[in-house]
Amino acid sequence: MTLNDAQQIFGFFFAIYFFMIVERSHQTYKPWDTYQAIHGKIHNINRLVLAWIVLMILPVTQFAILFTLLGLFEVPFDATITGVFRIILISISSFFTFGYFRIYESFLHRSPEMFFPEEELKEPAFELRPDFWAHFIPGALYLIIPTLLLFTALYI
């Protein structure tokens, strides 16, 4: 399988942004604590399952769909303003992955008692921001706008 230029740019930036959300989620919420999950800590299991669905499965699925779509189009990157805009739009369109992080946060902060034990909620470093929509709406916008930018790049 030969990748076209648009797929290479999109894949490159997706890899960077995807790594960033996985790393940020680990630093902030520790969802990948499999040791605690294996030992039956229900809060850790809930965080792990939610993280696998929202931070792994959904972004990779969207990436695969958009990546395949880019393979169906011939996107020229000529030395014109339009070519430059195509490169910029395709690069930025990979940023949709951050939307999944915000959606993940929205679920964590909507029902913190389901995802964190009482002692973690009382830690001074833990900042509870319980407004679901304040996380979910920006997350949805991070998903929608970059995807629209990708379609714009295909048709300009």
Side-chain angles (χ1 to χ4, degrees), residues 52-69:
W52 269 104
I53 293 169
V54 178
L55 297 177
M56 292 287 179
I57 295 169
L58 292 176
V60 171
T61 301
Q62 184 173 349
F63 168 76
I65 292 167
L66 296 176
F67 187 79
T68 303
L69 180 69

Side-chain angles (χ1 to χ4, degrees), residues 75 85-87 89-90 148-156:
V75 183
F85 277 124
R86 284 186 183 119
I87 293 170
L89 292 175
I90 290 173
L148 292 175
L149 292 175
L150 181 84
F151 285 112
T152 302
L154 294 176
Y155 292 106
I156 62 169

Side-chain angles (χ1 to χ4, degrees), residues 1 3-4 7 10 12 14 25 30 34 56 63 65 84 89 101 106 109 134 144 150 155:
M1 173 179 160
L3 303 178
N4 65 31
Q7 288 175 308
F10 185 69
F12 175 75
F14 173 80
S25 68
K30 297 180 182 33
T34 54
M56 292 287 179
F63 168 76
I65 292 167
V84 170
L89 292 175
F101 177 76
S106 71
H109 290 284
I144 294 166
L150 181 84
Y155 292 106

Side-chain angles (χ1 to χ4, degrees), residues 129-140:
R129 297 167 288 185
D131 191 359
F132 175 80
W133 297 110
H135 296 286
F136 190 83
I137 291 172

